[in-house]
């Protein structure tokens, strides 16, 4: 019996199972008291729950796993499929949007369900992994498309699969084309670092070239346990990247982001992307304004080495794909919408969501940084 599988079974899935010190706020209580068919399930590992300060309702770890009633409020421009992924599926669970790489949703199960998840129409819904036939179809598609150079396993969280199943999936693509680069997107090193065992590291090492992309969002997620997991992976020769999501009330402050990125660099993980949140249903309370995001990143750019600095990017709503965000882009505003261009100069709209008055960018949050200009 593997310890990590035991921990998956022991996850907290009902409000009553939270440690007694967690007093639910009215907004949290109201979520659990509301009917909510089809919404992202609630589940958190005991390890990740233990990183939160239970008495603080504004705790940045707590906000990532404990749902609030705002999740049930859908704004008119929020989308069930915010990235427009549905039309890009040449095989079940397979998304081919960019010419040279495909993304496969190997499972909809995760260690902990992130309340800001943009794939919430999929994640947690059935807690079912890819079947044999679906895998064969995906591998056959990759074999038939020589332009595909990279296969990304995503989900859900691929590391919720047991070693042998994960190895079989990766192996199916390794034999489909030998030179293929494999990549795994996972949050397990953050929410259940015990998942990263020496056996897993050995298995993945045998399937190189293989890159691993983690999702740390806050410096307090960088613990002794997650550090040990990252060390195991690094010693196995796997290149490590991280993508973070810029989340209001979690990490939308220059000092927090710089501590996160420096911490990752120290742990041997290159900060790859910082994503502005997608327009997923019921996630407005997590979205900072684009203006604030750009201001934060501008200040970080003056402070951080290139190794520690991620690309600030947005997946354009409705299938425009990823674009790097910068100052010059947010100038065009029309009727409450930012007009953003993709690489092919097509225009996409993203709503102007202003920050609440009581939540300004704290001046001097980053040592040595000039105060925010308005
Ligand atoms: C983000 C994403 C990728 C990977 O993009 P990179 O920029 O290479 O990280 C691939 N396919 C889809 C559908 C994606 O959304
Ligand atoms: S681990 Fe990824 S897919 Fe799962 S809930 Fe979090 S963001 Fe969504």
């Amino acid at each position: 019996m593997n310890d990590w599988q035991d921990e998956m079974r022991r996850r907290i899935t009902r409000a009553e199972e939270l440690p007694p010190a967690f007093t639910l706020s009215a907004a949290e209580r109201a979520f659990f008291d509301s009917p909510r068919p089809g919404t992202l399930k609630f589940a958190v590992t005991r390890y990740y729950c233990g990183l939160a300060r239970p008495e603080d309702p504004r705790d940045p770890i707590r906000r990532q796993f404990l749902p609030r009633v705002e999740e049930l409020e859908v704004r008119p421009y929020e989308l069930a499929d915010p990235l427009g992924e549905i039309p890009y599926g040449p095989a079940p669970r397979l998304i081919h949007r960019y010419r040279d790489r495909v993304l496969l949703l190997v499972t909809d199960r995760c260690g902990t369900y992130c309340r800001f998840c943009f794939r919430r129409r999929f994640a947690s819904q059935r807690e079912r992994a890819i079947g044999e036939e679906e895998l064969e179809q995906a591998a056959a598609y990759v074999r038939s498309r020589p332009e595909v150079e990279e296969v990304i396993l995503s989900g859900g969280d691929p590391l919720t699969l047991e070693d042998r199943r994960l190895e079989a999936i990766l192996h199916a693509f390794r034999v489909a084309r030998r030179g293929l680069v494999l990549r795994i997107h996972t949050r397990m090193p953050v929410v259940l670092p015990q998942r990263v065992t020496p056996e897993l590291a050995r298995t993945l090492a045998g399937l190189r070239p293989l890159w691993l992309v983690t999702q740390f969002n806050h410096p307090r997620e960088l613990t002794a346990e997650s550090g040990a997991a990252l060390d195991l992976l690094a010693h196995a020769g796997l290149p490590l990247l991280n993508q973070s999501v810029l989340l209001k009330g979690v990490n939308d402050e220059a000092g927090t982001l710089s501590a996160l990125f420096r911490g990752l660099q120290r742990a041997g993980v290159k900060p790859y992307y910082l994503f502005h949140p997608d327009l997923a249903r019921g996630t407005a309370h997590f979205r900072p304004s684009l203006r604030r995001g750009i201001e934060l990143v501008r200040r970080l750019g003056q402070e951080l080495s290139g190794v520690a600095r991620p690309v600030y990017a947005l997946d354009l709503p409705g299938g425009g794909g990823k674009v790097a965000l910068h100052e010059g882009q947010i100038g065009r505003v029309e009727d409450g919408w930012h007009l953003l261009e993709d690489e092919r100069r097509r225009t996409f709209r993203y709503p102007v969501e202003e920050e609440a008055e009581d939540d300004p960018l704290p001046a001097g949050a980053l040592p040595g940084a000039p105060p925010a200009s308005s």
Side-chain angles (χ1 to χ4, degrees), residues 149-169:
E149 312 259 7
E150 183 175 12
V151 174
I152 302 165
L153 302 193
S154 183
D157 198 316
L159 291 194
T160 59
L161 300 172
E162 53 154 341
D163 290 2
R164 237 165 318 153
R165 185 66 189 141
L166 184 65
E167 183 176 20
I169 294 169

Side-chain angles (χ1 to χ4, degrees), residues 96 98-103 141-143 145-152 173-174 177-183 209-211:
H96 190 185
Y98 304 104
R99 183 184 144 79
D100 68 340
R101 52 209 192 276
V102 294
L103 188 140
Y141 178 79
V142 169
R143 261 197 310 275
R145 294 294 181 117
E147 72 270 28
V148 174
E149 312 259 7
E150 183 175 12
V151 174
I152 302 165
F173 293 104
R174 178 57 68 236
R177 183 132 19 87
R178 288 199 40 165
L180 215 57
V181 175
L182 302 171
R183 197 207 294 187
L210 191 156
W211 292 60

Side-chain angles (χ1 to χ4, degrees), residues 95 97-98 101 103 152 183 272-273 315 322:
I95 303 164
R97 166 178 297 142
Y98 304 104
R101 52 209 192 276
L103 188 140
I152 302 165
R183 197 207 294 187
Y272 174 38
Y273 279 124
D315 228 309
K322 295 180 180 71

Side-chain angles (χ1 to χ4, degrees), residues 246 275-277 279 287-298 312-317 323-327 329-333 337-340 348-355:
L246 180 64
F275 285 116
H276 196 85
L279 298 174
R287 286 196 296 271
S289 66
L290 271 183
R291 184 165 304 286
R292 179 183 175 91
I294 280 169
E295 174 61 18
L296 276 167
V297 168
R298 191 184 63 77
Y312 177 45
L314 171 70
D315 228 309
L316 291 169
V323 285
L325 289 169
H326 51 82
E327 197 96 41
Q329 239 168 356
I330 59 165
R332 279 173 68 206
V333 173
W337 297 88
H338 291 288
L339 303 181
L340 303 170
F348 289 81
R349 303 195 307 167
Y350 190 95
V352 179
E353 296 180 299
E354 287 307 335
E355 296 289 320

Side-chain angles (χ1 to χ4, degrees), residues 40 109-110 112-114 116-119 123 155-157 187 215:
L40 186 73
R109 199 159 167 247
C110 306
T112 291
Y113 291 115
C114 314
F116 50 86
C117 178
F118 69 89
R119 248 191 225 123
D157 198 316
R187 205 161 192 239
Q215 196 211 109

Side-chain angles (χ1 to χ4, degrees), residues 60-296:
I61 308 294
R62 175 189 184 125
R63 285 202 171 178
Q64 292 183 74
F65 74 77
L66 204 55
R68 301 163 58 91
V69 73
E70 288 95 317
E71 274 186 48
L72 306 176
E73 297 160 12
V74 178
R75 297 202 175 172
Y77 47 76
E78 289 179 337
L79 306 162
D81 177 23
L83 274 44
E85 289 179 332
I86 289 166
Y88 288 87
R93 294 173 178 265
L94 193 68
I95 303 164
H96 190 185
R97 166 178 297 142
Y98 304 104
R99 183 184 144 79
D100 68 340
R101 52 209 192 276
V102 294
L103 188 140
L104 184 66
L105 306 174
V106 289
T107 178
D108 62 352
R109 199 159 167 247
C110 306
T112 291
Y113 291 115
C114 314
R115 303 326 305 179
F116 50 86
C117 178
F118 69 89
R119 248 191 225 123
R120 56 202 300 120
R121 84 184 156 87
F122 173 75
S124 88
Q125 292 309 305
R126 296 166 68 190
E127 302 209 289
R128 200 178 73 79
I130 188 169
E132 223 27 66
E133 201 171 313
E134 294 168 313
L135 176 59
E136 186 36 52
Q137 283 176 280
Y141 178 79
V142 169
R143 261 197 310 275
S144 75
R145 294 294 181 117
E147 72 270 28
V148 174
E149 312 259 7
E150 183 175 12
V151 174
I152 302 165
L153 302 193
S154 183
D157 198 316
L159 291 194
T160 59
L161 300 172
E162 53 154 341
D163 290 2
R164 237 165 318 153
R165 185 66 189 141
L166 184 65
E167 183 176 20
I169 294 169
L170 292 164
H171 186 72
F173 293 104
R174 178 57 68 236
V175 300
R177 183 132 19 87
R178 288 199 40 165
L180 215 57
V181 175
L182 302 171
R183 197 207 294 187
I184 295 175
H185 283 182
T186 178
R187 205 161 192 239
M188 289 295 261
V190 181
V191 297
L192 190 55
Q194 297 89 319
R195 169 65 186 99
V196 181
T197 59
E199 300 81 73
L200 175 72
R202 234 188 336 266
T203 299
L204 298 180
L207 289 151
R208 285 178 294 170
L210 191 156
W211 292 60
L212 218 115
V213 183
T214 60
Q215 196 211 109
F216 287 86
N217 291 329
H218 194 279
R220 271 179 34 218
E221 295 170 344
L222 290 162
T223 61
E225 289 90 341
S226 66
L230 297 172
D231 274 348
L232 272 173
L233 297 165
H235 283 145
L238 303 169
L240 304 177
L241 302 172
N242 184 76
Q243 40 192 40
S244 304
V245 188
L246 180 64
L247 297 166
K248 189 167 158 180
V250 173
N251 61 11
D252 61 334
E253 197 257 294
T256 305
L257 288 175
S258 70
L260 171 64
F261 299 143
R262 286 185 213 276
L264 286 164
Q265 182 187 11
R266 215 174 294 120
V269 184
K270 157 83 183 128
Y272 174 38
Y273 279 124
L274 171 66
F275 285 116
H276 196 85
D278 299 311
L279 298 174
R281 285 187 174 162
T283 59
H285 55 301
F286 280 118
R287 286 196 296 271
S289 66
L290 271 183
R291 184 165 304 286
R292 179 183 175 91
I294 280 169
E295 174 61 18
L296 276 167

